[in-house]
Amino acid sequence: MTLHLIKLVVGCDTIQDLLDWHKDLSEPWIMRTRQTPKRAADLLDGGSLYRVFKGVILCRQPILAVTTVGEGVTARCEVEVDRNLVRVAPTPRRAFQGWRYLEPKDAPPDLSSADDGDMPTDLARKLREAGAW
């Protein structure tokens, strides 16, 4: 059964900021966290990491690998994601700590490049909140 992760983006306000942050193409994109998901097999069955920017889900990246590094109290988890970001319909999301599972039925739909054009993120969020988009 496919399952997704959702995580707040800290230090980036836009998708472009995130891309600029990871501009070194020689390194894999890895999201590091303290807790290893117990349902890692479900994440690897077509799951994605959904990114929340300033209270709005804006994009996702397919999950490629989930690895536990270290043992005991020093153990941590590394989630490798695809370099390609897929824009999704801007969806409001309340703040939370760490990461959360996201069921496929609750995941926002992908946008094609024609769906959002060059619409500013703030405008897209306001239209979504008003129910107009």
Side-chain angles (χ1 to χ4, degrees), residues 28-103:
W29 278 38
I30 295 178
M31 185 271 298
R32 290 177 176 86
T33 185
R34 195 174 343 152
Q35 299 291 332
T36 299
K38 294 186 182 348
R39 298 176 65 185
D42 293 336
L43 297 172
L44 296 172
D45 186 24
S48 290
L49 174 64
Y50 283 78
R51 306 274 192 165
V52 181
F53 295 81
K54 292 184 149 186
V56 181
I57 301 170
L58 295 179
C59 66
R60 69 178 180 86
Q61 293 172 277
I63 295 173
L64 303 175
V66 178
T67 309
T68 301
V69 178
E71 294 180 20
V73 296
T74 62
R76 65 186 184 285
C77 178
E78 294 184 346
V79 179
E80 184 177 349
V81 295
D82 193 308
R83 295 193 154 282
N84 299 315
L85 283 108
V86 178
R87 292 178 187 263
V88 298
T91 306
R93 185 70 180 214
R94 278 197 224 166
F96 57 91
Q97 291 183 348
W99 53 263
R100 299 285 183 268
Y101 290 119
L102 182 67
E103 296 289 336

Side-chain angles (χ1 to χ4, degrees), residues 115-126:
D115 287 339
D116 66 341
D118 292 326
M119 185 180 299
T121 302
D122 289 339
L123 177 58
R125 184 185 75 240
K126 289 176 184 174

